[in-house]
Amino acid sequence: MTAAKHPPKDKGQGTTLVLVGTLTIMAGATVAPAIPGIREAFADSANVDLLARMITTTHALAIVLFSPLAGRVVERLGRKRALITGLFAFGIGGSSGAYLPDLYSLLVGRAVLGIGVSLIMTSSMAMIADLYEGADRQRLLGRQAAAGSFGGVVLLLGGGALAGLDWRVVFLIYLLGGLLLVPALMFLPGGRTIAAPREPGAPRPTGSRKVPGGIVAALAAMLLGQVAFYSVPVQVPFLVEDHFDAPSVVAGGVMAVQTFTTGMVAMRFAFFRRLAGEFTLAALSFLAIGIGYLILAVAPNIAVLVVALLVMGTGLGFLMPNLNNWVLAEAPAEVRARYAGLLTTALFLGQFLAPVITQPIVSALGIQPTFAVVACGALVVSVAYYLGGRAQHKEPAAGRDAHEVEELTERFLAGLRTPEPGSEPAWARSVFTEDVMFSYPDGTDRGMEGFEDFHRRARDGWGPLERLDADYAVDVDGDRATVAVRQQATHEPGATDAATQVDIEGHYEARAVRTAEGWRFDWFQVRSVTVRPPHSGVSATH
C-alpha cells in the first residue's frame, strides 16, 4: 500500500472551508454601496463623513486588536469550536446594523462582527494548513479566494440594489453567514490541532519565536495590498455617485467587476504558482494594482473606470492566494494558528488604515488625484518585491537546496513525535514520494504501510514520548541529496512489560529527490535501532 496521493476525499470538508473564505469580503465590502445612504441618514452627526466610511472598516480595527489573541484562543479551544464561535459572532454583529439607532452603536456592532471574523479566519486558515499540503493547498486557497470573489459579486450587486431600497436592509445579508454553521458542524474535524501535536513535556510555543523572513514579506504585502484594495470600496462609491451622477446600484456593479475578475484569476492560482515564485507574483500583483489606479486617476466616465477595475482585479487575483499560501507554507506547525492570526491582523489592519490614509488626501486633493498617489505607492512596492525576488535567487543554489532538505528532515522528525508516525496522510505527502522504498534490518517495504507497522511494533507497550532529540547531516548533489540521521528518544513506562522508561537510539539514512512539490524522500533505510532496556517489540539492537 502506498502513501495517499490526495487529501481525504471529503468534499463537504473542502467545500465548507472554501465557503468560509467568502466571509472575508462579505465582512466589509457588502455594505459599501450603503455608505452614502448612511451618511445622509445621519447628516446631523459630527464627523459624519469619516464615521460613515468607517462602517466598512471598524470591524477591521477589532480584528487587528483581537487577532493576535485569536491565535491563542484557537489553540486553546480547538479549530472547530473557535470557528463555530466566530460564526455566531459574525451573524449577530453583522446584522446589528439593521436595527441599531445611531452611528456609534453601528460601529460597536461592526466591532462584534470583527471579533467573529478574526476567529473564523484564524481557525479556518489553520485548518487548511493542517489538512492540505503543496498543490492541494494551493488549489484550495485559489478556490477559496475565487469563491470569496464570486460571492462578493453577488453581495455587492445585492447590496447596491438593497441600498437603493433602504440602507438598513443591507445588513441582513450577514445572516447568511449563519448558514455555514450547519456544514461546519457536520463536516469539519474537531480537536485542538490536526497535525504535529506537541510532544508531552515539551515547552509550549511562545510568542518570542522569530518570524521567518518570508512570512514578514508576505505580511507586509498583505498590509499594503489591503490599503490599496480597500481604497476602492471606500472611495469609488463617492466617485460614481458624486462625480458621475450614477445611482448606488451602479457603484455596486462597477466594484463587482473587480471582484469577479479577482475570482477568475484566483481559480488558476495553482497554475500561476508553478510558473513563478512568491516574490514575483507579489511584484506582478502590485504592478497591476498600480496600473489600475493610474487609469482610475484619469477615468472620465464609468466605462474607463470599469477597465481600471479589471486590471486591478487581475492583480488581486494573484495577491490573496499567493500571500495566504506563502504564510501557511512557511509557518511552523506547532504555532500555525498564531501565524494565521498575524496574517489576519495584517489583512484587516490594511483595510482599517485605507480610509485613515486616503481621506486626508481626498480632502486636500480630491478622489482621482488620490488614486494617482496610491498608484505611485503600489508601483514602488512592486519594484521592491521584484528586487527582493532577485536577491533571493542570488542565494547559492546549493545553499537553498540544503536548507530545503533540512526543512524536509525537520518535518520527518516532527512526524516521529506523533502517537502513530506515518498515519497522517498530509504529513506523509509532505515527507515521502508516493512510491517511497523503506529498508529495515528485517526486510523492505514500499509505501507507508510497512513504516506504520514498524513503529507500531516498536512502540507496543511503551508509554508516551517524553523527549526526542536528533542531529543530522545533509549532502546535496544536484537533484538528489543524502541525509544521515541520529535520533535519541525517551518514552515513559508502558502498560505492559516496559516497567521503566525506555531509551531509544536510532540511525537512519535517506535519499531525497527534487519533485514538483519540493524535496521528498524516495528511499529510507533504518540502519539500526537500539532500545534500553530490551523490549519484546524490538530487540536490544535491531
Side-chain angles (χ1 to χ4, degrees):
M1 176 180 178
T2 59
K5 185 176 182 180
H6 300 289
K9 300 288 186 178
D10 189 340
K11 293 183 179 179
Q13 172 182 286
T15 301
T16 301
L17 290 171
V18 166
L19 291 175
V20 164
T22 66
L23 301 183
T24 304
I25 193 167
M26 185 177 178
T30 301
V31 299
I35 296 175
I38 295 173
R39 182 182 61 178
E40 182 179 352
F42 298 103
D44 295 334
S45 300
N47 300 315
V48 64
D49 283 338
L50 177 61
L51 292 176
R53 285 173 166 86
M54 287 182 66
I55 293 295
T56 64
T57 58
T58 295
H59 69 288
L61 176 61
I63 293 168
V64 168
L65 296 176
F66 186 72
S67 284
L69 177 62
R72 295 180 181 272
V73 172
V74 170
E75 290 174 358
R76 182 172 295 273
L77 289 182
R79 295 1 181 183
K80 185 172 183 175
R81 280 191 286 180
L83 179 61
I84 297 302
T85 302
L87 289 171
F88 272 116
F90 183 93
I92 293 171
S95 64
S96 64
Y99 52 82
L100 291 177
D102 55 57
L103 272 175
Y104 292 101
S105 60
L106 285 177
L107 295 177
V108 171
R110 302 297 288 178
V112 174
L113 169 70
I115 293 174
V117 171
S118 180
L119 289 172
I120 291 168
M121 298 308 298
T122 302
S123 57
S124 64
M125 291 293 287
M127 273 192 178
I128 290 171
D130 289 341
L131 293 167
Y132 299 88
E133 291 283 346
D136 293 321
R137 181 188 292 165
Q138 292 165 11
R139 281 189 289 269
L140 182 68
L141 289 172
R143 287 196 294 267
Q144 187 184 65
S149 298
F150 296 146
V153 172
V154 176
L155 294 169
L156 286 168
L157 293 174
L162 292 174
L165 300 175
D166 189 301
W167 63 266
R168 287 191 180 274
V169 179
V170 176
F171 289 90
L172 295 177
I173 295 176
Y174 289 95
L175 293 176
L176 296 175
L179 297 177
L180 290 178
L181 282 168
V182 175
L185 289 168
M186 290 177 60
F187 299 120
L188 297 183
R192 295 179 183 272
T193 185
I194 299 171
R198 186 175 58 90
E199 63 179 277
R204 291 185 179 275
T206 66
S208 62
R209 181 186 294 270
K210 183 179 179 180
V211 181
I215 291 182
V216 172
L219 294 176
M222 181 67 82
L223 173 66
L224 297 172
Q226 288 302 307
V227 170
F229 167 65
Y230 249 72
S231 296
V232 172
V234 168
Q235 302 297 343
V236 165
F238 295 96
L239 180 66
V240 170
E241 295 189 33
D242 296 344
H243 290 249
F244 299 144
D245 297 321
S248 60
V249 68
V250 175
V254 297
M255 288 188 293
V257 169
Q258 173 188 287
T259 306
F260 180 80
T261 306
T262 298
M264 293 297 293
V265 175
M267 285 183 67
R268 300 293 295 164
F269 168 66
F271 169 76
F272 292 121
R273 179 60 186 83
R274 290 196 297 271
L275 300 178
E278 291 92 348
F279 276 98
T280 300
L281 288 177
L284 290 173
S285 297
F286 282 101
L287 176 63
I289 291 170
I291 293 173
Y293 268 110
L294 284 177
I295 299 172
L296 279 178
V298 298
N301 51 49
I302 295 291
V304 177
L305 187 147
V306 168
V307 172
L309 295 180
L310 280 170
V311 176
M312 292 178 63
T314 301
L316 290 167
F318 290 135
L319 189 69
M320 295 305 296
N322 180 45
L323 300 182
N324 289 338
N325 182 69
W326 198 348
V327 170
L328 295 183
E330 295 206 19
E334 67 272 15
V335 288
R336 191 170 276 158
R338 300 187 196 185
Y339 281 105
L342 288 176
L343 183 67
T344 305
T345 297
L347 191 157
F348 287 97
L349 178 59
Q351 293 185 10
F352 177 77
L353 290 176
V356 176
I357 292 173
T358 59
Q359 190 56 38
I361 306 175
V362 169
S363 299
L365 303 177
I367 292 179
Q368 288 188 291
T370 298
F371 290 156
V373 173
V374 176
C376 292
L379 294 174
V380 169
V381 173
S382 175
V383 171
Y385 277 88
Y386 171 74
L387 294 176
R390 287 180 61 87
Q392 183 188 48
H393 288 305
K394 288 181 180 179
E395 179 186 347
R400 286 200 311 272
D401 291 339
H403 176 68
E404 291 174 2
V405 176
E406 288 171 359
E407 291 181 335
L408 169 67
T409 307
E410 290 292 343
R411 290 199 299 273
F412 165 74
L413 293 170
L416 294 186
R417 295 183 174 97
T418 63
E420 295 187 11
S423 61
E424 173 54 51
W427 174 78
R429 291 193 307 276
S430 74
V431 174
F432 301 109
T433 62
E434 182 181 3
D435 58 349
V436 58
M437 174 69 76
F438 290 100
S439 176
Y440 310 104
D442 57 356
T444 60
D445 279 298
R446 187 174 293 277
M448 292 301 298
E449 186 177 64
F451 184 77
E452 295 174 38
D453 289 342
F454 175 78
H455 280 274
R456 191 175 298 113
R457 285 185 283 109
R459 290 190 175 191
D460 183 29
W462 300 351
L465 181 69
E466 284 187 346
R467 178 184 62 87
L468 189 150
D469 298 317
D471 54 74
Y472 51 86
V474 173
D475 183 18
V476 178
D477 183 12
D479 291 336
R480 294 175 180 268
T482 57
V483 182
V485 181
R486 176 178 174 270
Q487 166 211 311
Q488 292 180 309
T490 300
H491 287 260
E492 296 177 4
T496 59
D497 60 334
T500 61
Q501 74 174 24
V502 179
D503 294 314
I504 305 104
E505 180 173 324
H507 293 263
Y508 313 107
E509 185 173 332
R511 180 179 66 205
V513 295
R514 194 193 308 273
T515 73
E517 305 299 329
W519 287 90
R520 298 291 187 269
F521 292 128
D522 73 337
W523 175 81
F524 198 94
Q525 181 181 27
V526 180
R527 299 182 65 88
S528 67
V529 177
T530 302
V531 181
R532 300 183 182 88
H535 174 56
S536 60
V538 177
S539 59
T541 300
H542 190 76

